[in-house]
Amino acid sequence: MNTRNRPGRHTSPQPGANRPPYGLGTPTSTLQARPQQPIFAARDLVLSPKRAPNPACATDPARPCRHPLTNESENRRLLTHEQAIKGHFAAIIPALKHLAACQHEADFRERAQRIARADLGFELPVGILEDAWITNLDMRALYGVCVMHTIRLMAEQTQAMPPQSSDEVTSFLLDCGYHAVDITPCSDGRLKGLVRYILRLPDDAVRSRKAYAGAMFDVEANVKRWIETELMRYREGRPVTADAGTRYLKIVVYHWSSSDPAHEGCAAHHSNERDAAEAGLGRLREFRQAIENSFCCGASVDTLLIGVDTDTDGIKVHVPDADGEMSLYRWVSNLTLYKETVNEDASSARLKVYQAIQAASATDGWGTGNGEPHEGMRRLIATLLINNLSQIEYVCGNWGGRYPDIGHNERFISVGDGFEEFQVRNLAYFVYLHTVEESAPDLDVGLQIFSKLNVQHGLPVPVAIHFRYDRRVPGSRERTVEHCQRVRAAIEARYAELHRQGLLICGMTVQDKSLGSPIETYDASALRSAR
C-alpha cells in the first residue's frame, strides 16, 4: 500500500537554514600533461557558426568574472587534469599521420617505435609494423590499438594520483539525511564529467553512477541495488545502521544544448529538452513507487531531477516539495543564479542561493507544490548549486562561457561497467550493460554517434569493453573474462559489416572492484589460441 502522501506524513520545515554548506577541497596532484596537443581535436568539432556572447558573464572580456563562491584552486587542478587526458588522445592522429608518411622507409619499424614512445608514451604492436611493406600500414588497426593503450595509460596515471577525500562529503550527506546517493545520468559523453566536474563531488561519495541512454535506467536493476544497500545497513551497519532514520537518494540527470537545442540535445529523446526531463521524472516516480509498493512506506526514498546545459555546464535543479514531488515547472537555474550573484560578497551570494530555492518552492501555476522540501534536501540542493558555480566559472574562464565542442566529440565507446578513473567531458559514450541484447538501443545510439564522428572519415569505432570482478568470490575473474568475450562476440555480430571492414575495434579489460586495482587487458586472438 502506498501511503506516501497521507496527511501529516510530512511537515514543511521552517525556512531560514542559512548556515554555509561544506567546502570541497581536493588534492593538487595532476597527470603528466601534454601541452603541445590541443585538447579539442579538429576531427569533428560541432562549433557554433557565430561565436555567441558569454551566457554567464556580461563584463568586459578583458576583465573576466570572478564569483565569490568559486573554488579557483580546484578549477586549476581540474583544467590540468582535463588537458592531460584529452591531450594524450589528441596526440594519436598526428602520430599516426607521421607513421603513414614514413611507412616505406627501410628503418620504419624502429622509427615508428621511437615516434610512438615520444608522442604517445607506449610502443606499437610489432606485427602490424612488420607487415607494412607488404601492402600498406593498417591504420585502422593501429588507431584502435592506440586508443585502447591510451585508455589504459591514462587510467594508470589517474590511479597514481592521491585519491580525493570523501569523508567530509559523506558526513555532510548523512547530516542531510542520506546514507546513499545513486546518480543516473544520460550516456552522452558530454555528461562524462558529471560527478567530478559539474557537481564537484568525490567519486567515493556516490553509491552508483550508472549511465543509460536518455537516463532511462532499469527500474528493476535499481531496486535490486537499493536492496543491496539496505541489506548492508542491516548486516554491517554501513554507512549507518538501519535505525538511523536516513534515506536513499536517487538522482536522474538529463541534458540539453542552449546553443543548438533542436540538434545537439539528448539523442535518445530527439534533442527535446521537455521530453528528456519528463521521461526522467517519470522513471524516478516508477522507481519510488516500486519500492513503496514492495516494501511499504517505511522504505521510501527521496528523488531529485537535475538538468544540465552541456554547452555551459550550468545545472537546473527541480526542487521537490514537502511530499517529495517534483514538477517540470518548479526549478532553479544556476546560470541565472550565477549572473545574479557574481558581483556579491560571499555571504550575500550564499544567502541568495537559499533564497532562490525558497522562491522556487513558492512557484504558482503549473509548478505549484505542497510547501518546501525538508531541511536536508534544501541543504543538499544549495550545496550542489554552489559547487556548480565553480564549474560555470571554469567554462567561463577557459572557453568564454561556452564549450567549443557543443556537440559529440567522444574518443571511444565504453561498454560494461565503465572506467571509474575517467571523469572528463566528451571523452567517452558510456553504455552500461550486462548483455548486448538488453542494451541494444543504448549501443545503437552510440554507434549512430560514432558513424558521424569516425566512420564517415574512415576511422574505426573503438569499443572498450570493461567489466569488474570480485576477487573475494572464487572463479569471479574467470567468469568475468568469459563475459567480456561473449559481449565482444555479440557486438561484432550485431555490427558485422563494420567489423568486416575493420571499422569496429573492440578491446577487452577486466578489473577487481577494489579501489585502485590494476586494469587487466585481454586479447581475443590470444584467448582463442590458448583454448
Side-chain angles (χ1 to χ4, degrees), residues 46-309:
V46 180
L47 301 177
S48 300
K50 183 178 181 180
R51 188 63 177 173
N54 191 322
C57 182
T59 63
D60 184 348
R63 186 170 56 86
C65 291
R66 289 290 180 267
H67 197 281
L69 299 180
T70 293
N71 187 334
E72 295 185 16
S73 62
E74 178 68 356
N75 279 358
R76 290 191 294 270
R77 189 191 73 85
L78 289 174
L79 177 63
T80 303
H81 178 76
E82 180 177 1
Q83 288 176 329
I85 294 288
K86 290 187 174 179
H88 276 81
F89 281 95
I92 293 174
I93 290 180
L96 293 184
K97 287 181 178 180
H98 194 177
L99 296 184
C102 63
Q103 62 180 301
H104 297 299
E105 300 293 333
D107 61 342
F108 170 66
R109 195 179 78 176
E110 292 74 17
R111 290 180 63 180
Q113 296 293 24
R114 286 198 300 270
I115 293 169
R117 286 192 297 267
D119 294 352
L120 304 176
F122 50 81
E123 293 192 348
L124 301 173
V126 175
I128 297 179
L129 301 179
E130 288 183 338
D131 293 340
W133 70 273
I134 301 173
T135 54
N136 282 311
L137 193 60
D138 190 344
M139 301 305 298
R140 291 175 177 174
L142 270 182
Y143 179 81
V145 166
C146 288
V147 171
M148 300 305 164
H149 268 287
T150 302
I151 291 171
R152 189 167 68 253
L153 179 65
M154 293 297 93
E156 290 172 353
Q157 290 193 16
T158 301
Q159 288 176 345
M161 296 166 56
Q164 291 176 291
S165 174
S166 61
D167 293 344
E168 183 182 7
V169 181
T170 300
S171 297
F172 168 77
L173 292 172
L174 288 172
D175 197 29
C176 288
Y178 300 115
H179 58 264
V181 177
D182 182 345
I183 302 178
T184 293
C186 177
S187 300
D188 193 297
R190 291 168 291 183
L191 292 180
K192 185 62 178 171
L194 174 71
V195 174
R196 192 175 296 175
Y197 282 76
I198 297 175
L199 300 181
R200 300 293 174 100
L201 296 173
D203 298 341
D204 291 350
V206 179
R207 170 75 171 85
S208 173
R209 50 177 177 272
K210 304 297 184 185
Y212 294 79
M216 294 291 93
F217 63 88
D218 185 317
V219 174
E220 287 78 7
N222 276 254
V223 170
K224 180 181 177 183
R225 188 177 302 122
W226 174 84
I227 293 173
E228 293 171 351
T229 303
E230 298 308 297
L231 181 62
M232 189 164 61
R233 295 175 67 208
Y234 275 96
R235 296 285 298 176
E236 305 176 26
R238 290 194 297 127
V240 290
T241 57
D243 59 355
T246 56
R247 289 188 174 193
Y248 187 101
L249 176 62
K250 178 68 181 180
I251 301 176
V252 159
V253 180
Y254 68 95
H255 67 99
W256 75 95
S257 166
S258 57
S259 301
D260 192 359
H263 302 96
E264 298 300 340
C266 181
H269 295 293
H270 309 289
S271 291
N272 189 308
E273 178 189 352
R274 178 184 171 82
D275 286 354
E278 194 168 31
L281 182 57
R283 196 55 60 99
L284 284 173
R285 287 170 175 164
E286 291 172 7
F287 173 71
R288 186 185 66 200
Q289 195 72 49
I291 291 177
E292 292 185 348
N293 288 349
S294 302
F295 301 94
C296 197
C297 58
S300 184
V301 298
D302 275 1
T303 58
L304 188 62
L305 181 67
I306 298 177
V308 176
D309 174 10

Side-chain angles (χ1 to χ4, degrees), residues 355-411:
Q355 289 173 341
I357 299 170
Q358 293 174 341
S361 296
T363 301
D364 56 11
W366 287 358
T368 301
N370 181 26
E372 299 181 7
H374 59 81
E375 181 186 355
M377 175 62 80
R378 286 206 312 273
R379 290 183 60 204
L380 174 66
I381 292 174
T383 298
L384 294 178
L385 291 170
I386 290 173
N387 289 354
N388 182 246
L389 292 173
S390 291
Q391 183 62 16
I392 292 174
E393 189 153 299
Y394 176 86
V395 181
C396 285
N398 296 303
W399 293 284
R402 200 182 302 271
Y403 285 109
D405 57 340
I406 63 170
H408 290 281
N409 198 34
E410 294 93 336
R411 274 61 171 179

